[in-house]
Amino acid sequence: MAQRGIQPDSAKFCCSICLDLLKDPVTLPCGHSYCMSCIKDCWDGEEHKGIYSCPQCRRAFTPRPVLHKNTIIVELLEEMKKTGLQAAPPDLCYAGPGDVCICYLCAMDEHKGHDTVSAAAERTKRQEELGLSRQKIQQRIQDTEKDVKVLQQEVEAISRSADKAVEDSEEIFTELIRLLEKRRSEVKQQIRSQQEEEVSRAEELQEKLKQEIAELRRKDAELEQLSHTQDHIHFLQNYPSLSCLSESTHSPSINIRPLSYFEDVTAAVSELRDKLQELLSEEWSKISLTVTGVDVLLPQPEPKTRAEFLQYSCHITLDPNTAHRLLSLSEGNRKATQMAEKQSYPSHPDRFTVWCQVLSRESLTGRCYWEVKWKGGVFIAVSYQDISRTGRGYECGFGCNDKSWTLEFYNMNRHFRHNKIKTKIPLPESSRVGVYLDHRAGVLSFYSVSETMTLLHRVQTTFTQPLHAGLWLYGDGTTAEFCELK
């Protein structure tokens, strides 16, 4: 098997005998072309047979064809040489590892002009390589089939879990609807019952008043008739009994007290609706995050550009029940400001009492991204819900325990903190930090946001609970705000 070759772009103009560019090309009656010297040498070796064949298609010719130079190919080769196509240099005319150029005459053991190996030896070598290739392919097939089987099991598990979740959710919502329907019916029945009672009382009083009016009119008529009598004795005898009035059957306060109907009931029901809407809005964000946090596949690569991060942006609000009393919340509970005087927050077990900290209302699972801009000294944190809220030490401070992680920006301090361990971080390029969370993958990354995303710190861990975004403000007038992302 010949080991010489030519450059690929000139392969169509090569001689299949010498495997080089055609020299003095001639074309046989069958259409195949060869170097004149190559085909002459080939046919000279067949002179004793009296039959002359094409080395490629094996078409036989008798008598021996007269060879004529193919001027068209000559011109084409000359033109191509002018445009840069050249025969490969001698040191590049050999096939690389794994390459084979098969010469017809060498295969027939009738040509001695090439460095050759036997076809059997080359086949043995390639057969071994083929066996190794098949082993690799079969191993990949087995691995891929395992992955397919695992994914099929995941698909079935997802479907079962989703069906069960839908069934359970439907049952729970049906119970809620049934409860609301019951309460609605009870309110309606109570209103109607009260209506019937009050109407009955009013009608009873109304009847008594009508009777009183009739009695008064009768007495008034008798007095009028008495006033016209000419008999003085008769007048004096009857006047005392006619002028005496009985006590009124109703209280005079009925005319002065404000009327009270059922408008207050409507106001109370409206207040209940507003509270339910607020509660549903709070809880729905948790439910939605839980649903979108379902992810059975391998973690996706962490985003690189801000546009990619924004695909996971989430709306975060601060929970007033957790805010320290020196923190004032504004901008729809998305901004916190440290004040000099305490705010009038009611007592609540979730409220931070030592450090000026606040947690988000929303719990965070799945992949989430948010941005915070600030002025002054601030700690940008994530924390578990069960972090301590009271105490004189740092057990309730973000980053000072194993339940929270935080970036510290205060004076010249630029640190990442977790479980009392501080790690120095680069100076951010702007007062805007992006936070990326992949809860399932255990990835928490902080970025300085400007024209580019500059990584400040990255955590790889295992999160055991849903997380909440947190802020720790340090110094009067310090502000921090969750940015609106589009």
Side-chain angles (χ1 to χ4, degrees):
M1 301 177 70
Q3 300 296 312
R4 292 190 60 192
I6 59 171
Q7 294 178 347
D9 56 358
S10 58
K12 62 179 67 177
F13 297 101
C14 74
C15 171
S16 61
I17 297 177
C18 68
L19 304 181
D20 210 338
L21 288 178
L22 291 166
K23 299 180 182 64
D24 297 326
V26 295
T27 302
L28 305 187
C30 61
H32 293 109
S33 299
Y34 301 91
C35 299
M36 182 175 288
S37 60
C38 290
I39 193 62
K40 280 185 176 180
D41 291 342
C42 177
W43 282 351
D44 287 346
E46 294 181 341
E47 192 75 39
H48 64 285
K49 299 178 182 178
I51 299 176
Y52 308 92
S53 59
C54 173
Q56 293 188 61
C57 67
R58 306 304 295 162
R59 181 177 172 180
F61 308 104
T62 54
R64 179 171 176 166
V66 178
L67 299 175
H68 300 282
K69 184 181 293 187
N70 190 321
T71 57
I72 295 178
I73 294 181
V74 171
E75 292 175 359
L76 283 173
L77 286 172
E78 290 298 325
E79 186 66 26
M80 293 173 68
K81 287 179 181 179
K82 292 178 182 179
T83 58
L85 177 63
Q86 302 290 337
D91 59 341
L92 296 179
C93 289
Y94 293 93
D99 291 337
V100 180
C101 304
I102 298 176
C103 173
Y104 166 74
L105 294 180
C106 288
M108 301 297 293
D109 295 327
E110 296 179 1
H111 195 259
K112 303 302 181 184
H114 297 147
D115 295 329
T116 66
V117 294
S118 68
E122 187 67 18
R123 169 64 186 271
T124 300
K125 178 181 178 182
R126 301 303 183 191
Q127 190 75 24
E128 293 175 357
E129 295 176 357
L130 182 146
L132 293 175
S133 297
R134 288 198 63 201
Q135 289 180 8
K136 292 180 180 178
I137 291 173
Q138 290 170 0
Q139 184 62 48
R140 286 186 60 181
I141 291 173
Q142 292 177 5
D143 294 341
T144 306
E145 285 177 341
K146 289 180 181 178
D147 291 340
V148 170
K149 185 176 181 180
V150 169
L151 287 175
Q152 181 59 37
Q153 293 172 344
E154 292 287 355
V155 168
E156 294 172 357
I158 292 170
S159 299
R160 287 194 302 270
S161 178
D163 291 343
K164 185 68 166 55
V166 168
E167 180 182 348
D168 293 344
S169 299
E170 286 289 330
E171 183 177 345
I172 293 170
F173 278 113
T174 300
E175 290 177 2
L176 288 174
I177 293 171
R178 196 160 44 232
L179 177 61
L180 287 175
E181 289 286 352
K182 179 181 178 182
R183 295 305 183 193
R184 182 178 70 171
S185 177
E186 289 176 352
V187 170
K188 179 180 178 181
Q189 182 179 356
Q190 191 174 4
I191 291 173
R192 292 306 184 195
S193 177
Q194 189 69 17
Q195 174 192 9
E196 183 179 348
E197 181 179 345
E198 293 300 321
V199 167
S200 177
R201 288 176 56 196
E203 288 178 344
E204 181 181 351
L205 180 58
Q206 184 182 31
E207 186 61 30
K208 289 181 179 180
L209 292 176
K210 286 180 179 180
Q211 293 176 3
E212 184 176 342
I213 291 171
E215 179 66 23
L216 290 173
R217 283 178 176 170
R218 184 188 62 79
K219 188 175 287 292
D220 182 61
E222 290 179 350
L223 286 174
E224 182 183 9
Q225 183 179 0
L226 182 62
S227 68
H228 295 296
T229 184
Q230 298 299 321
D231 187 342
H232 299 307
I233 299 301
H234 177 74
F235 179 88
L236 292 174
Q237 288 178 337
N238 290 281
Y239 175 72
S241 62
L242 292 175
S243 63
C244 181
L245 295 178
S246 62
E247 285 289 332
S248 176
T249 60
H250 67 280
S251 171
S253 62
I254 193 173
N255 298 320
I256 60 175
R257 70 183 180 88
L259 298 179
S260 177
Y261 300 136
F262 293 93
E263 286 78 3
D264 291 344
V265 177
T266 303
V269 175
S270 297
E271 184 179 357
L272 173 63
R273 177 200 60 197
D274 295 340
K275 289 182 177 179
L276 284 175
Q277 286 180 340
E278 182 180 358
L279 179 62
L280 287 173
S281 177
E282 295 174 6
E283 296 302 320
W284 175 249
S285 62
K286 298 178 183 178
I287 294 172
S288 180
L289 285 171
T290 304
V291 172
T292 56
V294 174
D295 185 359
V296 300
L297 300 179
L298 295 176
Q300 295 182 1
E302 187 167 335
K304 301 299 181 185
T305 66
R306 187 166 182 265
E308 293 175 349
F309 281 105
L310 291 178
Q311 295 177 6
Y312 305 107
S313 63
C314 55
H315 184 82
I316 294 181
T317 57
L318 297 169
D319 184 357
N321 291 331
T322 68
H324 188 277
R325 284 191 168 90
L326 287 178
L327 293 181
S328 173
L329 304 186
S330 59
E331 303 296 331
N333 289 339
R334 293 177 60 80
K335 182 177 181 179
T337 304
Q338 183 171 346
M339 312 298 288
E341 298 181 357
K342 291 184 177 180
Q343 306 299 296
S344 58
Y345 293 131
S347 297
H348 198 283
D350 290 341
R351 191 171 310 286
F352 289 103
T353 61
V354 179
W355 308 108
C356 292
Q357 298 181 150
V358 59
L359 283 176
S360 69
R361 186 189 304 272
E362 298 80 9
S363 61
L364 305 173
T365 57
R367 286 182 286 271
C368 308
Y369 176 76
W370 64 96
E371 293 179 358
V372 179
K373 58 183 178 181
W374 79 92
K375 181 179 68 174
V378 67
F379 292 62
I380 300 172
V382 295
S383 173
Y384 294 145
Q385 176 72 18
D386 62 354
I387 186 174
S388 177
R389 310 305 171 95
T390 61
R392 303 305 304 174
Y394 283 90
E395 64 270 14
C396 56
F398 293 149
C400 303
N401 44 67
D402 61 356
K403 298 181 182 295
S404 58
W405 298 256
T406 187
L407 284 191
E408 171 190 5
F409 301 104
Y410 176 66
N411 291 336
M412 296 306 295
N413 295 321
R414 302 290 186 270
H415 294 102
F416 169 79
R417 291 174 176 263
H418 174 62
N419 204 19
K420 300 180 182 179
I421 298 176
K422 294 197 304 183
T423 303
K424 193 171 183 62
I425 62 172
L427 184 69
E429 299 178 5
S430 69
S431 295
R432 192 180 184 110
V433 163
V435 185
Y436 172 73
L437 170 67
D438 187 339
H439 191 278
R440 183 181 181 190
V443 173
L444 175 65
S445 300
F446 297 87
Y447 289 84
S448 175
V449 180
S450 56
E451 294 182 356
T452 58
M453 302 288 290
T454 303
L455 181 64
L456 299 175
H457 194 77
R458 186 177 187 273
V459 175
Q460 180 71 64
T461 185
T462 299
F463 297 118
T464 58
Q465 305 174 38
L467 290 166
H468 290 256
L471 298 173
W472 180 357
L473 277 58
Y474 203 91
D476 291 349
T478 295
T479 63
E481 179 179 2
F482 292 102
C483 306
E484 288 285 356
L485 302 178
K486 299 180 179 179

